[in-house]
Amino acid sequence: GGGGGCGGGGGGGAGPLLTARFSPSLSLQPPPPTPGLLSSLPSLLLPARIPCVGMQEHPGEKEPEQVKALLSATRNGDVGSVHRLLMAGVSTSVCSMGEGLTPLYVAAQENREEVVSTLLTARADVNFAADNLARPLHAAAYSGCANVARMLIAARADVNAYMDQGVTPLHAAARCGHAGVVQILLDSRAGIDLRKSNGSTALHVASRRGHLEVASVLLAARANVDAQQGVGATPLYVAAQEGQLEVATQLVAAGASV
């Protein structure tokens, strides 16, 4: 699907709630919310949906055969067929039915570097949004496709683009434990403390899932260790809540308020 799924993500599942043995001063009650936080969230920054080329809006409409062929060739990494279909006049802005995924999105999701290069050469829109507003860079971030992420950024992908729920590519990479992609995004000036619609920063996301290496990269780049979600929860709070002892210890060592 368009966005949300991790390809080859690292570990870090939820564990039991940490007890006071971790730190006598660690409270699992979140602090009061930061005033005005909700008014600063990105819901008003989401772009309008751009319609796909040559697609019908009617439910049950069949996907044109050439569209199917291009998306299939893209998914399978069949560069020759992709090139042939583009030369035959199939637009790079065609979309899958139901989700609105372009060939470039699919190629990024499947880590098809040659296909990505072919589509970019054909001037595919690097910032075309799927139905859930996910961009190809979100797909590369979720799937951990570092080289594809570099290619998309070089083609001027928006490193701070929001999809549904205010998720940026940095949130996506942090969620799935892809520290290499996180570093690439930070090197490309991704906003390190941008918030999802629930107030989470990338450090919250990594902390909740126990992604130690991602948290290390974010902390080294000076992520706000005490950033608060809409309910006032800090990265340390969510790490403790999910039983992520290693990350919680790391956050305390980085100066997190306990």
Side-chain angles (χ1 to χ4, degrees):
C6 297
L17 195 67
L18 288 181
T19 68
R21 287 179 298 171
F22 166 64
S23 170
S25 62
L26 176 60
S27 169
L28 292 181
Q29 294 297 318
T34 304
L37 172 63
L38 296 180
S39 64
S40 67
L41 295 180
S43 57
L44 297 179
L45 301 179
L46 296 175
R49 176 77 180 98
I50 302 172
C52 300
V53 171
M55 300 302 294
Q56 301 296 323
E57 297 296 329
H58 307 294
E61 192 74 31
K62 289 186 178 179
E63 210 163 48
E65 288 303 316
Q66 283 191 316
V67 173
K68 276 186 182 179
L70 180 56
L71 291 169
S72 176
T74 297
R75 186 169 284 108
N76 295 327
D78 184 349
V79 182
S81 293
V82 169
H83 182 73
R84 185 172 64 253
L85 287 160
L86 293 176
M87 292 297 290
V90 182
S91 171
T92 59
S93 295
V94 296
C95 298
S96 63
M97 295 291 284
E99 295 176 302
L101 307 183
T102 63
L104 185 59
Y105 186 101
V106 173
Q109 186 177 51
E110 300 294 331
N111 200 23
R112 303 298 189 184
E113 293 181 32
E114 286 188 80
V115 176
V116 168
S117 178
T118 299
L119 291 167
L120 290 175
T121 300
R123 301 194 178 186
D125 185 349
V126 74
N127 288 310
F128 195 102
D131 288 352
N132 64 357
L133 301 178
R135 319 295 178 87
L137 188 55
H138 284 98
Y142 275 122
S143 297
C145 306
N147 286 339
V148 168
R150 288 190 187 95
M151 294 166 71
L152 295 171
I153 292 168
R156 301 196 177 186
D158 182 355
V159 295
N160 292 320
Y162 290 109
M163 60 176 279
D164 280 359
Q165 300 179 16
V167 173
T168 67
L170 187 63
H171 292 124
R175 179 183 188 272
C176 295
H178 300 311
V181 177
V182 167
Q183 188 65 65
I184 290 166
L185 291 166
L186 292 175
D187 290 344
S188 302
R189 301 191 178 186
I192 195 169
D193 289 321
L194 291 180
R195 298 174 183 271
K196 294 171 55 181
S197 54
N198 67 359
S200 296
T201 65
L203 188 57
H204 281 99
V205 174
S207 299
R208 181 178 298 280
R209 290 184 167 255
H211 293 316
L212 194 63
E213 189 179 356
V214 170
S216 295
V217 171
L218 292 168
L219 290 168
R222 300 191 177 185
N224 183 354
V225 73
D226 287 323
Q228 296 182 14
Q229 288 181 336
V231 295
T234 63
L236 179 58
Y237 172 80
V238 299
Q241 186 180 49
E242 297 296 332
Q244 306 295 0
L245 179 57
E246 287 186 296
V247 172
T249 302
Q250 181 185 47
L251 292 167
V252 171
S257 299
V258 296

